[in-house]
Amino acid sequence: MFEIYKFEFDNNFINQDELRSYIDMGLITQAEYQEIVGGSNDEREAQPTA
């Protein structure tokens, strides 16, 4: 499921607050949350804007 939530976050289907709520629901761990949020921020900064 991690890959699905990462895809949804990276493509703006869900935001950080929604993703954070998945921790309380037991869908992802705190570490997975940090990996999704941290990874997507790094990728977005590295992409050139048109």
Side-chain angles (χ1 to χ4, degrees), residues 3-42:
E3 292 82 12
I4 293 170
Y5 299 134
K6 179 162 178 33
F7 174 84
E8 290 179 340
F9 182 76
D10 289 344
N11 290 285
N12 298 314
F13 293 122
I14 59 173
N15 62 32
Q16 278 186 301
D17 292 332
E18 291 169 314
L19 187 64
R20 193 175 303 112
S21 73
Y22 292 177
I23 299 170
D24 294 333
M25 290 187 259
L27 300 174
I28 61 172
T29 65
Q30 180 69 35
E32 289 171 327
Y33 169 83
Q34 291 297 329
E35 187 174 340
I36 292 170
V37 174
S40 71
N41 288 340
D42 293 342

